[in-house]
């Protein structure tokens, strides 16, 4: 199995935009379909682009929105480009997009991201987070989910559950990616966070996967503190309406406490 989600192949020019071209590995394949990428690696690669675009060491992303424009193909070339939409000394809006070959081979947008980058300063005396911490990692248990799948995204995650899946109340898990985002690169803390944040939908689900599909079309993450360490915790619950639409709401953690919040729109359909 591969030791990364993507490999950087080249730098290309598409529609007068400078793009990095990537090849995906089996580790990006989703659980709904092996032909479509799991949204977690996609969002992490877009966050990489947001962070690197006209990089400033004194800022960081405070909010990131990922919109999935359709299924991201698991095979074939992928391109990622980014730009500063709204420059500023203290606040910047940065955007990124992922392209893949569409009908006829012409690249088309398959995912987008936008992120507010804010100037950092020391507010240590004000630090506060209301959400109660997750139970410690040593109380979590692996369900060995990879045994049920051909090589895909779940093979890239050390996934430990604190709760019983589909039980009443929020689902809780500790997760750690075990491969690189891009071959040969060390993930940044935010890239590591986004490599698992999309799993909130599955952790918070109350639906029988044998009878229903529940695909999220986006994720919105607000980060009040950059996570520390390899492990990311998720506490999430999905609310379902009467019309085939749901919303996942969750809190993201590192081993010292909460680091941010996540929301996802969910499309619910019978199999």
């Amino acid at each position: 199995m591969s030791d990364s989600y993507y490999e950087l192949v080249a730098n290309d020019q598409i529609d007068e935009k400078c793009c990095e071209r990537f090849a995906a590995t089996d580790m990006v394949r989703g659980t709904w379909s092996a032909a479509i990428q799991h949204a977690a690696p996609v969002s992490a690669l877009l966050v990489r682009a947001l962070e690197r675009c006209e990089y400033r060491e004194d800022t960081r992303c405070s909010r990131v929105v990922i919109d999935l424009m359709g299924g991201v193909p698991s095979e074939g070339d992928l391109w990622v480009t980014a730009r500063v939409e709204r420059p500023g000394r203290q606040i910047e809006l940065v955007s990124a997009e992922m392209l893949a070959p569409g009908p006829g081979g012409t690249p088309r947008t398959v995912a987008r991201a936008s992120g507010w980058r804010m100037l950092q300063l020391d507010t240590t005396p004000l630090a506060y987070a209301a959400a109660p911490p997750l139970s410690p990692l040593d109380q979590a248990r692996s369900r060995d989910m990879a045994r049920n799948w051909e090589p895909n995204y779940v093979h890239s995650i050390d996934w430990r559950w604190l709760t019983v899946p589909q039980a009443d109340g929020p689902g809780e898990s500790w997760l750690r990616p075990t491969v690189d985002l891009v071959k040969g690169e060390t993930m940044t803390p935010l890239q590591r966070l986004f490599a698992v944040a999309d799993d909130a939908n599955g952790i918070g689900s109350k639906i029988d996967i044998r009878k229903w599909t529940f695909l999220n079309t986006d994720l919105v993450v607000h980060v009040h503190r950059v996570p520390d360490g390899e492990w990311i915790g998720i506490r999430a619950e999905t609310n379902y309406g009467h019309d085939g639409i749901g919303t996942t709401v969750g809190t993201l953690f590192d081993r010292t406490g909460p680091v941010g919040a996540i929301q996802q729109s969910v499309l619910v359909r019978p199999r």
Side-chain angles (χ1 to χ4, degrees), residues 200-218:
N201 177 21
I203 292 170
S205 174
K206 302 294 185 291
I207 290 180
D208 187 341
I209 196 172
R210 296 168 298 180
K211 299 178 180 179
W212 300 88
T213 61
F214 42 95
L215 288 79
N216 61 291
T217 58
D218 65 5

Side-chain angles (χ1 to χ4, degrees), residues 41-51 64-68 79-82 95-98 111-113 181:
V42 171
S43 58
L45 193 63
L46 288 168
V47 166
R48 175 185 178 274
L50 295 179
E51 289 187 308
V64 174
V65 176
I66 307 290
D67 285 306
L68 304 170
W79 295 270
V80 176
T81 184
S95 67
E97 62 179 347
M98 177 181 287
R112 289 178 177 153
L181 175 59

Side-chain angles (χ1 to χ4, degrees), residues 15-44:
D15 296 333
E16 300 183 352
K17 299 177 183 176
C18 294
C19 301
E20 291 183 307
R21 175 158 44 102
F22 295 91
T25 74
D26 285 341
M27 296 297 98
V28 306
R29 296 185 186 275
T31 52
W32 300 116
S33 168
I36 296 174
Q37 295 192 34
H38 195 285
V42 171
S43 58

Side-chain angles (χ1 to χ4, degrees), residues 54-147:
E54 298 186 27
Y55 173 73
R56 287 176 52 185
E57 189 174 358
D58 59 348
T59 66
R60 72 161 177 87
C61 289
S62 66
R63 186 229 63 186
V64 174
V65 176
I66 307 290
D67 285 306
L68 304 170
M69 313 304 291
V72 179
S74 298
E75 298 183 1
D77 290 329
L78 297 167
W79 295 270
V80 176
T81 184
R83 56 176 290 188
V84 175
E85 298 279 357
R86 186 269 196 196
R89 188 178 65 84
Q90 296 198 79
I91 302 172
E92 295 181 322
L93 182 64
V94 188
S95 67
E97 62 179 347
M98 177 181 287
L99 300 94
T106 302
R108 63 184 178 88
T109 301
V110 291
R112 289 178 177 153
S114 68
W116 285 108
R117 291 197 311 209
M118 294 186 176
L119 182 69
Q120 301 177 84
L121 62 85
D122 186 4
T123 53
T124 301
L126 307 178
Y128 171 76
L134 285 185
S135 298
L137 176 63
D138 60 12
Q139 295 182 20
R141 297 291 179 266
S142 172
R143 295 178 56 227
D144 191 20
M145 294 186 296
R147 74 181 185 275

Side-chain angles (χ1 to χ4, degrees), residues 157-174:
I157 300 295
D158 187 351
W159 192 326
R160 315 281 183 91
W161 284 80
L162 289 164
T163 56
V164 176
Q166 300 179 15
D168 291 340
E172 297 181 345
S173 291
W174 287 104

Side-chain angles (χ1 to χ4, degrees), residues 182-198:
V182 176
K183 188 175 181 64
E185 295 182 7
T186 300
M187 282 197 216
T188 68
L190 285 184
Q191 291 166 22
R192 183 174 295 277
L193 178 73
F194 277 84
V196 300
D198 185 75

